[in-house]
Amino acid sequence: MSITSNTRIRAQAETDLARRFPAHFLWGAATASYQIEGAAREDGRGYSIWDDFAATPGKTYQGHSGEVAADHYHRVEEDTDLMAQLGLGAYRFSIAWPRILPEGRGAVNQAGLDFYDRLVDTLLAKNIQPFATLYHWDLPSPLEQAGGWLNRATAYAFADYAELVTRRLGDRVANWITLNEPWCSAYLGYGIGVHAPGLRDRQAAIDAAHHLLLGHGLAVPGMRAHLPSSAQVGITHLLNQVYGADERAETARDMELANAFSNGWFLDPIYRGAYPERFFEHMGLNPPPIQEGDLKIIAAPLDFLGVNNYSRILLRGAQAQPLADRCVSVSPVPNACYTDMGWEIYPRGLRDLLVNVARNYPVGKLYVTENGAAFPDVWDGGDTVSDPRRVSYLRSYITACAEAIEQGAPLCGYFVWSLLDNFEWGEGYAKRFGIVYIDYSTQRRVIKESGHWYAALLDAFRKV
Ligand code: FCB
């Protein structure tokens, strides 16, 4: 087949895919402060738990840290130009709490607020809607020294910080996400220690989760007080559809446990005002220190749910009943394909997840706030980077989004993770998720083929 007819067929396929999305659908890309900004010691920024964690030997891949990252702090103009070139309608970024409040509370660092103020104005000038996340894991170190998310006071500090930021940016930012993936903050950070702050105490994960949820619930009314009524406030969770590898009763039982652990733990308190039934017993742990009224605060009404999804969970029931976080997943799944993170590629998982979450919880609107794939991309010095597996990953997951909408899910937007290659937490710079490649030695940006593909899809969407 000739190159021209190949291209024509591809363009046609993109038009067919684009046509399956409603006219108001929002297309974007996502990043997070610590993963891209760099400038860790500039303009009065304080330290965060991720600076401390990365500085601890053995915690991140080859000791990598976000100190320089993609140097986005100094490249707002260039990076927002890239977004415009890709045709993004929205950009999801996070605000670094320690840039705004170096001590976590108290004295405000104006330079930090000014940075996000400029970012927001630049986005709006380029017709890109800002989606701001208030907490994507970079807790100010002084708060961690006072107990971090194990200390109830951190929830109140978060609410104050959230109010401060919405007061400054709320006249221009219409979409707000309180927390990104509190499951990861609590379980990976406090429970098994692979993320900052690096504690290995499963009971601590339960307690930290409660204070994260409380912080979220306390923040919502304070934010709304400074936002126009048209603004939308939501939260983003990492969610996974759970499947069984067989029909055994043990498998059905373990699916329920795993579903409570990876989804219900955070969705139930927010949408039902209660933790999943017997959840703490199924974890083999004690309930967190819940005070009277907490669950009502946590269940503050929201405008949307942000869903981050990369893979699925496939289980085979164990003989004896496991603890909820000890269910046995099938891995590797025979004949399945995996990304560079070792995550199974299973687009149907996103479709089923969106449909089921909307059926089981009163979510209002849904956004896919993160979805994407790491592959070992190589830049040969040319003007693009060939990443066919990412193109096919994105195409299949975006098709799954279209199917979810067709099955009734109120999905209003999709954000690819990530705009740029970046600091992938414990994996450092070894994993590349961007649709734009970063040559870290020069900070040169090169749009990958997946970026060009995404731009073509968005272009087709605008034309249908
Ligand atoms: C999510 C995180 C995001 C990124 C992706 C790959 O869990 O929210 O920062 O690391 O995974």
Side-chain angles (χ1 to χ4, degrees):
M1 194 183 291
S2 75
I3 291 180
T4 349
S5 60
N6 224 337
T7 316
R8 213 177 308 122
I9 286 170
R10 196 157 131 172
Q12 179 59 37
E14 279 140 17
T15 304
D16 290 346
L17 179 54
R19 200 172 280 150
R20 296 172 70 179
F21 289 87
H24 60 262
F25 198 79
L26 216 51
W27 296 99
T31 63
S33 49
Y34 190 72
Q35 295 182 275
I36 64 162
E37 285 179 2
R41 311 208 193 305
E42 278 176 59
D43 293 344
R45 176 187 178 277
Y47 285 92
S48 81
I49 53 173
W50 269 97
D51 297 285
D52 303 335
F53 189 72
T56 311
K59 296 296 184 190
T60 63
Y61 174 78
Q62 292 186 357
H64 290 179
S65 80
E67 198 171 330
V68 178
D71 195 36
H72 169 74
Y73 189 79
H74 298 120
R75 292 165 195 267
V76 164
E77 211 46 68
E78 181 182 356
D79 290 343
T80 51
D81 276 349
L82 271 172
M83 297 175 210
Q85 199 184 330
L86 293 169
L88 303 189
Y91 173 55
R92 174 177 176 237
F93 60 96
S94 82
I95 292 169
W97 187 348
R99 267 195 210 288
I100 311 295
L101 295 160
E103 296 295 315
R105 52 163 76 93
V108 178
N109 177 38
Q110 281 305 328
L113 277 172
D114 292 347
F115 169 72
Y116 296 104
D117 201 89
R118 270 198 316 277
L119 172 63
V120 164
D121 284 345
T122 311
L123 288 167
L124 292 173
K126 295 177 188 178
N127 238 335
I128 300 163
Q129 281 194 47
F131 270 63
T133 303
L134 285 159
Y135 184 68
H136 200 129
W137 307 353
D138 39 4
L139 186 73
S141 303
L143 293 185
E144 183 58 38
Q145 282 143 25
W149 289 107
L150 297 178
N151 182 350
R152 190 177 167 92
T154 300
Y156 290 86
F158 174 72
D160 290 345
Y161 151 69
E163 187 174 344
L164 174 78
V165 176
T166 39
R167 212 187 303 141
R168 175 73 181 265
L169 302 177
D171 57 337
R172 284 154 294 148
V173 177
N175 297 285
W176 291 88
I177 293 164
T178 53
L179 306 178
N180 177 71
E181 300 184 352
W183 184 97
C184 292
S185 303
Y187 190 72
L188 304 182
Y190 290 82
I192 60 170
V194 297
H195 277 190
L199 255 73
R200 292 201 183 113
D201 174 350
R202 292 164 66 256
Q203 182 63 48
I206 297 288
D207 299 353
H210 184 67
H211 294 141
L212 280 151
L213 283 164
L214 180 65
H216 155 81
L218 288 168
V220 173
M223 293 166 69
R224 291 212 195 272
H226 298 283
L227 293 171
S229 58
S230 56
Q232 304 190 98
V233 179
I235 186 168
T236 278
H237 291 300
L238 174 65
L239 301 174
N240 290 295
Q241 186 65 37
V242 179
Y243 297 88
D246 56 50
E247 309 283 313
R248 289 155 53 236
E250 293 91 325
T251 299
R253 176 203 61 201
D254 291 2
M255 282 169 66
E256 221 175 293
L257 293 182
N259 187 41
F261 172 61
S262 60
N263 305 314
W265 183 6
F266 288 87
L267 289 177
D268 283 20
I270 286 183
Y271 293 108
R272 296 178 182 163
Y275 284 104
E277 223 182 298
R278 297 172 62 205
F279 177 65
F280 306 111
E281 191 187 313
H282 289 150
M283 290 289 286
L285 298 166
N286 295 317
I290 304 173
Q291 292 190 11
E292 209 188 321
D294 282 5
L295 286 158
K296 197 152 179 259
I297 294 170
I298 291 169
L302 297 176
D303 302 301
F304 68 88
L305 170 67
V307 174
N308 290 357
N309 175 260
Y310 293 88
S311 191
R312 62 137 170 196
I313 296 171
L314 178 64
L315 287 183
R316 180 164 296 130
Q319 288 299 334
Q321 179 167 323
L323 295 173
D325 56 344
R326 307 280 159 90
C327 295
V328 185
S329 347
V330 179
S331 178
V333 177
N335 303 319
C337 295
Y338 286 83
T339 69
D340 201 23
M341 296 293 283
W343 297 344
E344 187 200 355
I345 302 176
Y346 196 76
R348 209 193 303 165
L350 176 56
R351 180 196 70 191
D352 295 347
L353 176 69
L354 294 170
V355 170
N356 289 329
V357 161
R359 271 187 202 147
N360 295 333
Y361 298 95
V363 291
K365 296 177 175 180
L366 285 175
Y367 289 93
V368 170
T369 40
E370 283 182 30
N371 170 248
F375 290 111
D377 307 309
V378 178
W379 179 48
D380 64 5
D383 56 8
T384 188
V385 171
S386 167
D387 61 341
R389 282 186 289 172
R390 186 173 292 101
V391 173
S392 110
Y393 179 100
L394 294 178
R395 184 186 276 125
S396 64
Y397 271 81
I398 290 172
T399 302
C401 289
E403 291 167 4
I405 294 172
E406 285 149 13
Q407 293 180 22
L411 182 65
C412 299
Y414 172 93
F415 293 78
V416 59
W417 183 271
S418 178
L419 175 71
L420 308 171
D421 287 341
N422 59 51
F423 174 76
E424 178 45 36
W425 309 113
E427 308 288 340
Y429 299 97
K431 305 293 180 208
R432 293 181 177 270
F433 272 92
I435 54 172
V436 175
Y437 183 92
I438 303 283
D439 176 39
Y440 291 109
S441 59
T442 60
Q443 290 294 346
R444 185 167 155 187
R445 275 88 168 119
V446 182
I447 300 179
K448 300 179 193 176
E449 279 176 4
S450 58
H452 290 295
W453 175 81
Y454 195 51
L457 174 72
L458 274 45
D459 191 47
F461 175 77
R462 279 188 298 272
K463 289 179 181 147
V464 293

